[in-house]
Amino acid sequence: QLQLVESGGGLVQPGGSLRLSCAASGLTWRFYAIGWFRQAPGKEREGVSCINRSGDNTNYADSVKGRFTVSRDNAKNTVYLQMNSLKPEDTAVYYCALAPSNGCTWRLQDYNYWGQGTQVTVSS
């Protein structure tokens, strides 16, 4: 059966770094584009980053460009979100999601599978 597991969240000081991981089993990982989303209390879920099937194209929200990097290892069925220079406004629950799409998409309805989320808190 399908399993989608996120890890790597935690508490970090402003300017620090975290690396989030999203690992899946029970499906062919390389058939999916992968998106990272986040949601803070009282706010709508927003797209953070996405990566296409082959891993040669990525998109980022303006708020994280230059600080976050998404990558994928299809051999390990794992996607990563490297977050550097973290700011308090990055505090949120972060989700990975899978879309049966060749390229990146920001449409929530395109994503078939979602992880449970991992909490990222940036505070001094």
Side-chain angles (χ1 to χ4, degrees), residues 27-77:
L27 52 78
T28 304
W29 193 246
R30 64 183 176 87
F31 287 164
Y32 294 86
I34 311 296
W36 284 97
F37 298 82
R38 67 186 182 187
Q39 188 166 21
K43 297 184 178 180
E44 295 183 353
R45 188 170 299 183
E46 63 175 348
V48 175
S49 181
C50 65
I51 186 167
N52 70 346
R53 288 183 180 180
S54 61
D56 60 358
N57 184 256
T58 58
N59 287 339
Y60 299 92
D62 288 341
S63 60
V64 306
K65 285 182 179 178
R67 299 189 297 119
F68 291 11
T69 302
V70 64
S71 61
R72 66 190 297 167
D73 186 341
N74 287 337
K76 296 182 178 180
N77 280 6

Side-chain angles (χ1 to χ4, degrees), residues 11-25:
L11 175 65
V12 65
Q13 294 183 342
S17 299
L18 287 173
R19 189 194 193 196
L20 306 184
S21 299
C22 177
S25 62

Side-chain angles (χ1 to χ4, degrees), residues 97-111:
L98 280 59
S101 172
N102 182 54
C104 281
T105 176
W106 293 110
R107 289 160 48 100
L108 290 173
Q109 59 265 44
D110 288 342
Y111 289 88

